[in-house]
Amino acid sequence: TNIEENSSISEVKEKTDKINKAKQDLQNLIEDTKNKAKNEFDIKKQELKTLIESEKARNIDKFEEQNVLNTTNVAESSNISDIKSKTKIIEEAINSLTKKINEQENKQEFEQAKQEFEKIKKELQELIATPDAKEVENIDDINKTLNEANITQD
C-alpha cells in the first residue's frame, strides 16, 4: 500500500480507506479481547469473593486472599496484559484458599476417623475385660490386635 508521487487523488483516498478499515478492525479486535479479559477477571474475582464468604472458609485464615480481593482491580484504561496478569493473581488466591480449605477438611476428617478408632478400641478393651471374654479361644490373638492398634502422630 504505497503512495507514489504520481498516484491519483482517488488512489490515495482508496489506500487511506484501506488503512482506516485495517485500523478500525484492529481497534475492534483489541476491544473484544480486552472485554473478554475483563469478563474473565470479573468472573474470577466473583469466584474468589464467593469462596472467601463460603461456609467452608469460615474458620480459615484468609487474610492474604481477602487482601488480593480488596486490592486487585482493573480500570477502563488497563491494558490486556495488565488485566490478564491481575486475573492470574486472583486465580492464585483462589488456588491458595482452596488448598487451605482442603487441608482443613482433611484434618477434620482425620480427627473424626481418629475419634471413631479410639471409641472402638475402648469398646474392645472393655469387652476383653469381661469374664466371658476370658473363656473364649483366640483371646490372645484379639489382645495382640488391640496392642498393635495405635495411631502415631507425625
Side-chain angles (χ1 to χ4, degrees), residues 95-131:
N95 292 339
S96 169
L97 186 52
T98 300
K99 183 179 178 198
K100 290 178 184 179
I101 289 169
N102 290 339
E103 287 171 355
Q104 179 71 19
E105 287 174 348
N106 288 342
K107 186 177 176 183
Q108 288 171 342
E109 199 174 314
F110 176 80
E111 285 303 316
Q112 288 171 342
K114 184 178 166 186
Q115 287 174 1
E116 179 67 12
F117 170 84
E118 294 297 341
K119 177 182 161 228
I120 299 298
K121 183 177 175 181
K122 186 173 189 269
E123 289 172 3
L124 178 57
Q125 288 170 329
E126 290 169 357
L127 189 58
I128 288 172
T130 64

Side-chain angles (χ1 to χ4, degrees), residues 17-145:
D17 288 345
K18 277 186 179 179
I19 290 173
N20 259 336
K21 184 180 179 331
K23 177 184 163 196
Q24 189 60 50
D25 289 347
L26 181 57
Q27 284 175 326
N28 290 341
L29 287 170
I30 289 170
E31 200 58 36
D32 287 349
T33 303
K34 187 175 181 178
N35 286 336
K36 286 178 186 171
K38 178 90 168 69
N39 285 341
E40 181 67 17
F41 173 84
D42 290 342
I43 288 167
K44 291 297 179 183
K45 191 160 182 179
Q46 182 58 48
E47 199 176 306
L48 178 58
K49 183 177 189 287
T50 301
L51 189 59
I52 287 171
E53 294 172 352
S54 73
E55 184 62 27
K56 291 178 180 181
R58 190 168 45 96
N59 295 321
I60 293 177
D61 174 19
K62 48 194 172 285
F63 175 79
E64 290 176 26
E65 294 82 3
Q66 185 69 55
N67 190 41
V68 167
L69 180 68
N70 294 343
T71 61
T72 307
N73 297 300
V74 294
E76 278 304 312
S77 61
S78 298
N79 64 39
I80 296 167
S81 176
D82 186 41
I83 296 169
K84 287 181 175 182
S85 172
K86 289 182 177 184
T87 301
K88 187 168 175 48
I89 291 168
I90 296 284
E91 288 172 338
E92 289 168 357
I94 291 169
N95 292 339
S96 169
L97 186 52
T98 300
K99 183 179 178 198
K100 290 178 184 179
I101 289 169
N102 290 339
E103 287 171 355
Q104 179 71 19
E105 287 174 348
N106 288 342
K107 186 177 176 183
Q108 288 171 342
E109 199 174 314
F110 176 80
E111 285 303 316
Q112 288 171 342
K114 184 178 166 186
Q115 287 174 1
E116 179 67 12
F117 170 84
E118 294 297 341
K119 177 182 161 228
I120 299 298
K121 183 177 175 181
K122 186 173 189 269
E123 289 172 3
L124 178 57
Q125 288 170 329
E126 290 169 357
L127 189 58
I128 288 172
T130 64
D132 287 344
K134 293 176 178 35
E135 300 299 321
V136 299
E137 295 179 24
N138 298 334
I139 192 68
D140 290 339
D141 291 342
I142 294 171
N143 264 320
K144 183 179 177 197
T145 299

